Amino acid sequence: MSDRIRIFDTTLRDGEQSPGCSMNVEEKLRVAHQLARLRVDVIEAGFPIASEGDFEAVREIARSVEGPIVCGLSRTSEKDIERCFEAVKVARKPAIHTFIATSDIHMKYKLKMSRDRVLEETKRAVTQARSYVNHVEFSAEDATRSDWDFLVEVFQTAIDAGANTLNVPDTVGYTTPTEYAALITHLREKLRGVDDVVISVHCHNDLGLAVANSLMAVKAGARQVECTINGIGERAGNAAMEEIVMALRTRPEVFGVDTGIDATQIYHSSRLLSQITGMLVQPNKAIVGANAFAHESGIHQDGVLKQRLTYEIMTPESIGLDTNKLVLGKHSGRHAFRDRLTQLGYQLEGDSLEEAFRRFKALADKKKEIFDEDLEAVVAEAVVRPTSARFRLLGCNVASGTDMLPTATVQVEIDGETAKGTSNGDGPVDAALNAIKRITGTDARMLQYTVSSISGGTDAQGEVTVRLELDGKTALGQGAHTDIVVASAKAYVNALNKLDYRLKNWVDLQKNGGQPEPREVGP
């Protein structure tokens, strides 16, 4: 059996289905290029039939990203598989991932299909997909709540029809590590031709067991793990890619296998995804959390100073976290600036580089020290902003104090036209956001407002995250600035743009075949 674990990254498909994490084409492409630098084996780029925007994103990723297999998700319907192939066929290594539910509860209440009908759909779908591409993955949705003997029948049908990869998803995060390992062992013992296919696992974190379940499945013989950056995904999320990779790498004597991941790209991948989605990483998150390599206890500090191994089982450098955060200042030139961005994984050219450098210089005039996180925020402001954005913050001025009513005057560009407005509020942030509401005419409701510091010191940039809701759709926005009011205004405008994108481009799957929209389906 191979000692190489294939990493199937579904950040852009299952991960994007996290509430408020919807990305536009430019953002998905940016993440996809980072996944290629991370050296994942498979990128599940999206669900092509879900919407025109998702189709375009998958096709663009297939066209421009080199290295990984580029995969699209489809149900077993002929129309789904055709649409998926149209999106991925331009890839150097295209793949189709088709799925159908196999648990009695899903077949009875969702699919309204008999077991025989599910077997027929499996055979037809895999046969069709294999006629288009050489790499076909088949998933038995809700496998861990399925009858094991029926599961063997379904997977055997998929193997006989030409599937290369069999995915055994714990769709609702129901299983436990020992139970999951036993299921993988059962399948490997019962399936004919199992040595010629790859057994894959896809775990959700509803009981907090996604990573543990995935690792136990690996010990039982699974050779592909489906996971996401930062563990984002439906409900409580998916197995976290960085935790899977570093567990295998840190404990080779236990698992005896490894991945092809460039672990030095892990931290940057985590930060990039947080910037684009606005989904913050909790400080105590394993591997990539702010406290993952922090030591406050005197005993711990003493031990680490004497020998890192006393309290650190891996180094910050191993995940790409530079222990020396101070990198640039106001006297730095373009060459040093560009070189540091390259080290952080950014490849900027032309106008994008000039705009980022201009913003860096403006920030350096305000701050004594520039940290890597500051540079990431600069790049996010200069580059990540979607070209299709309707709204752009031009200016924000606030008057506030102990003896006056906070008042904000804001300028916003709307569809290329400049609009200006003034409003009051309970505080300076409230006044600024009220002014933006008045100018844009939005009825969006604020669900979340979070402030964090990007780096230390009183001159640190504040990073603000807001979540807005309108017509049942939600969107997260993020903004960074040394002035927290300006950061808040940027975050609000960013969220408005994402909300506008979602409302305009999201097409329910119900309009494309009578099934629920993609947030309700998938392994």
Side-chain angles (χ1 to χ4, degrees):
M1 188 183 299
S2 171
D3 61 358
R4 171 76 148 70
I5 301 300
R6 204 161 62 185
I7 294 297
F8 178 110
D9 187 278
T10 185
T11 301
L12 296 175
R13 200 279 299 172
D14 205 338
E16 194 202 18
Q17 291 175 198
S18 293
C21 284
S22 182
M23 294 175 255
N24 60 32
V25 175
E26 294 92 341
E27 290 167 336
K28 292 188 80 169
L29 187 60
R30 185 166 173 75
V31 172
H33 280 296
Q34 179 57 28
L35 291 174
R37 285 190 286 270
L38 190 61
R39 295 212 297 262
V40 304
D41 297 284
V42 185
I43 295 175
E44 187 167 49
F47 202 163
I49 205 169
S51 70
E52 188 61 33
D54 223 28
F55 175 84
E56 290 298 332
V58 175
R59 186 167 61 178
E60 188 57 34
I61 290 168
R63 178 186 294 118
S64 60
V65 176
E66 297 184 21
I69 293 169
V70 176
C71 176
L73 182 70
S74 76
R75 293 165 298 182
T76 54
S77 75
E78 184 177 349
K79 183 179 178 181
D80 269 52
I81 295 172
E82 285 179 355
R83 187 66 167 165
C84 188
F85 174 61
E86 284 300 314
V88 303
K89 67 180 181 180
V90 294
R92 291 153 185 81
K93 293 183 282 186
I96 293 175
H97 177 194
T98 186
F99 74 94
I100 193 167
T102 55
S103 67
D104 289 333
I105 190 169
H106 274 246
M107 288 187 291
K108 178 179 180 180
Y109 294 106
K110 188 183 77 172
L111 297 181
K112 301 187 186 304
M113 290 184 185
S114 66
R115 289 188 173 188
D116 287 342
R117 175 71 188 284
V118 167
L119 289 170
E120 291 171 6
E121 284 289 300
T122 299
K123 180 179 180 179
R124 187 199 52 73
V126 173
T127 301
Q128 180 189 355
R130 190 59 194 268
S131 72
Y132 294 148
V133 296
N134 290 325
H135 188 99
V136 175
E137 175 169 330
F138 172 77
S139 285
E141 186 184 9
D142 205 24
T144 55
R145 292 194 296 173
S146 300
D147 176 78
W148 285 19
D149 291 335
F150 178 60
L151 206 54
V152 170
E153 284 190 72
V154 173
F155 280 135
Q156 191 64 63
T157 299
I159 290 176
D160 295 343
N164 315 94
T165 302
L166 303 179
N167 185 35
V168 189
D170 185 26
T171 304
V172 293
Y174 179 74
T175 197
T176 63
T178 52
E179 185 180 48
Y180 201 39
L183 174 57
I184 300 302
T185 299
H186 178 78
L187 293 172
R188 294 189 67 246
E189 290 174 348
K190 298 295 183 180
L191 290 169
R192 300 185 311 276
V194 71
D195 291 336
D196 297 322
V197 299
V198 173
I199 299 293
S200 179
V201 291
H202 177 119
C203 295
H204 281 263
N205 207 37
D206 298 70
L207 295 176
L209 296 173
V211 170
N213 286 335
S214 299
L215 293 173
M216 281 295 285
V218 166
K219 284 184 69 67
R223 285 299 177 262
Q224 175 173 287
V225 176
E226 306 194 0
C227 45
T228 62
I229 296 171
N230 295 340
I232 69 169
E234 291 272 15
R235 303 180 310 280
N238 290 48
M241 179 275 298
E242 59 278 2
E243 296 177 27
I244 297 290
V245 169
M246 295 310 292
L248 295 178
R249 194 153 297 179
T250 304
R251 299 302 307 276
E253 76 284 2
V254 173
F255 299 103
V257 294
D258 199 0
T259 69
I261 292 293
D262 179 359
T264 62
Q265 291 290 329
I266 285 177
Y267 180 73
H268 176 61
S269 302
S270 171
R271 283 288 303 169
L272 176 64
L273 186 67
S274 288
Q275 289 170 349
I276 289 177
T277 64
M279 185 72 76
L280 301 179
V281 174
Q282 66 194 61
N284 63 327
K285 167 76 169 65
I287 315 298
V288 294
N291 294 345
F293 296 95
H295 306 277
E296 184 170 340
S297 161
I299 294 174
H300 286 220
Q301 290 173 345
D302 179 65
V304 169
L305 289 172
K306 290 175 178 176
Q307 169 53 259
R308 271 187 171 185
L309 288 174
T310 54
Y311 289 103
E312 287 186 0
I313 60 173
M314 66 196 91
T315 66
E317 293 86 354
S318 68
I319 64 163
L321 183 60
D322 192 346
T323 53
N324 180 10
K325 294 292 186 157
L326 179 60
V327 291
L328 294 172
K330 67 179 181 180
H331 299 298
S332 300
R334 282 180 178 79
H335 181 78
F337 175 72
R338 183 176 183 175
D339 181 68
R340 186 55 188 152
L341 290 188
T342 300
Q343 292 178 39
L344 291 174
Y346 295 102
Q347 303 293 329
L348 302 189
E349 303 289 344
D351 292 342
S352 295
L353 178 62
E354 287 303 310
E355 176 63 13
F357 185 68
R358 184 189 68 77
R359 289 174 179 269
F360 156 69
K361 282 290 191 178
L363 179 61
D365 283 334
K366 298 176 183 177
K367 293 194 65 183
K368 293 179 180 179
E369 299 178 347
I370 302 295
F371 297 84
D372 287 351
E373 292 86 350
D374 292 317
L375 295 179
E376 290 168 344
V378 163
V379 173
E381 291 285 341
V383 181
V384 175
R385 184 177 64 247
T387 57
S388 58
R390 286 192 63 207
F391 311 108
R392 187 163 69 94
L393 183 69
L394 300 178
C396 178
N397 296 289
V398 178
S400 180
T402 57
D403 299 318
M404 64 181 299
L405 182 65
T407 304
T409 300
V410 175
Q411 268 192 313
V412 177
E413 184 181 284
I414 306 175
D415 296 326
E417 300 291 329
T418 300
K420 186 175 182 179
T422 300
S423 188
N424 300 320
D426 294 332
V429 170
D430 188 48
L433 300 191
N434 284 340
I436 295 172
K437 290 179 189 176
R438 178 174 296 179
I439 295 170
T440 59
T442 182
D443 293 322
R445 184 166 61 97
M446 178 86 76
L447 300 180
Q448 174 190 344
Y449 175 85
T450 307
V451 181
S452 60
S453 175
I454 289 180
S455 53
T458 56
D459 62 350
Q461 286 198 93
E463 192 170 57
V464 174
T465 300
V466 301
R467 186 194 293 271
L468 302 182
E469 184 271 332
L470 183 63
D471 294 342
K473 302 295 183 185
T474 63
L476 282 168
Q478 214 170 23
H481 198 272
T482 51
D483 186 324
I484 203 65
V485 178
V486 177
S488 301
K490 286 183 174 184
Y492 194 85
V493 169
N494 181 244
L496 285 179
N497 280 319
K498 290 183 178 180
L499 201 54
D500 180 70
Y501 173 83
R502 290 203 69 198
L503 291 169
K504 283 184 176 178
N505 292 283
W506 193 272
V507 178
D508 288 347
L509 275 182
Q510 193 168 10
K511 299 176 183 177
N512 291 288
Q515 293 292 327
E517 65 177 42
R519 198 166 302 284
E520 301 298 330
V521 300

